[in-house]
Amino acid sequence: ASLDLFGHSVAIGNDKIVVGAPGVDGSAFAFDSGAAYVYNLDGTGEVKINPSDLFGYDRFGFAVAVGSNRIVVGAYGNVGVGAAYVYNLDGTNQVKITGSNSDTGDEFGRAVAVGANKVVIGAPTASIGSTSSGVVYVYDLDGTNEVKITASDAANDDSFGKSVGIGTNKIVVGAPNDDDGGSSAGAAYVYNLDGTGEVKITASDAAASDQFGQSVAIENDKIVVGSLFDDDDGDRSGVVYVYDLDGTNEVKI
């Protein structure tokens, strides 16, 4: 339907495709409550997922992930604080996760990732020590054993957690408004699954407003970082960087 925003987020894994549609209206009084759809790889077998506690402006489906035989859906507008939901691949057995100290406007669930039997959830406007510096949370698949991660050099408006990714033993977090290389030049951080072993990565040619870290991914001992406002090939033409897990061997694409 109009303004459903089907395809705002997508993920693939466990022989399934997951599509977020955060603009879906759950009812006449639940505008932008959102939905997620699950398909087989050939587009058949559609399953539509809505949370059991659907509210207007939840934006359920703004972020989606699939892995470890689970689907994770972010709803950063849930009751103004945000939440993430975990499901089996068929949309059953809902687990709702909220941050232990989440507050209004934290946008908990704006970014989600799942893998290695862990769920990673970004809350990029959370304020712990610094205003809107951002926080990332890690959980077991059942929502237990919370680990809270903040950047060692957190600063106001860094947006740490606006993007997240998880690999076998590492987590990568984007902070696109980090100012080390200039205002909103951006950064990415790598951690062990328990939040230790921080490695901070900035582009070798960082420049103001690049927003390095707006998107991140991790797989096969490599990290990929998007820098959508980089100007190398024209105004905001965009660049992608690839690194080893320790931030070395930069490749710019």
Side-chain angles (χ1 to χ4, degrees):
S2 296
L3 304 177
D4 276 359
L5 303 181
F6 179 89
H8 182 276
S9 57
V10 294
I12 185 169
N14 298 126
D15 294 324
K16 294 290 183 179
I17 294 166
V18 185
V19 182
V24 167
D25 298 332
S27 71
F29 302 101
F31 299 111
D32 292 344
S33 55
Y37 296 81
V38 186
Y39 299 92
N40 298 324
L41 298 181
D42 62 359
T44 63
E46 179 183 275
V47 175
K48 182 180 181 180
I49 303 175
N50 291 115
S52 60
D53 58 344
L54 179 149
F55 294 102
Y57 304 107
D58 276 1
R59 295 179 175 85
F60 179 92
F62 189 90
V64 297
V66 58
S68 296
N69 291 310
R70 296 290 193 279
I71 293 163
V72 182
V73 183
Y76 77 87
N78 182 259
V79 297
V81 177
Y85 297 78
V86 183
Y87 300 90
N88 292 339
L89 297 178
D90 60 0
T92 61
N93 292 331
Q94 174 183 289
V95 174
K96 182 178 181 180
I97 303 175
T98 56
S100 60
N101 64 337
S102 289
D103 202 354
T104 301
D106 280 1
E107 296 190 351
F108 180 97
R110 188 179 179 94
V112 297
V114 59
N117 296 313
K118 295 286 185 180
V119 177
V120 185
I121 302 169
T125 55
S127 301
I128 297 182
S130 300
T131 303
S132 298
S133 54
V135 177
V136 166
Y137 297 81
V138 185
Y139 301 89
D140 290 346
L141 296 178
D142 61 359
T144 61
N145 294 322
E146 178 185 88
V147 173
K148 185 170 61 179
I149 303 174
T150 56
S152 61
D153 60 346
N156 292 345
D157 303 315
D158 274 358
S159 298
F160 177 90
K162 196 168 188 179
S163 59
V164 295
I166 184 170
T168 304
N169 295 303
K170 297 288 185 179
I171 295 162
V172 59
V173 179
N177 291 323
D178 181 277
D179 297 328
D180 278 14
S183 178
S184 295
Y189 296 78
V190 183
Y191 299 91
N192 298 324
L193 297 181
D194 62 0
T196 63
E198 179 184 272
V199 174
K200 184 175 183 179
I201 304 171
T202 56
S204 60
D205 58 347
S209 302
D210 279 357
Q211 295 210 355
F212 175 96
Q214 183 73 224
S215 56
V216 296
I218 180 172
E219 180 109 11
N220 297 330
D221 298 325
K222 292 290 184 180
I223 297 158
V224 185
V225 183
S227 182
L228 79 167
F229 290 152
D230 183 282
D231 299 325
D232 278 15
D233 293 320
D235 183 39
R236 291 174 287 185
S237 52
V239 166
V240 168
Y241 297 80
V242 185
Y243 300 91
D244 291 344
L245 295 178
D246 60 359
T248 60
N249 293 324
E250 178 184 273
V251 175
K252 185 175 183 181
I253 303 173

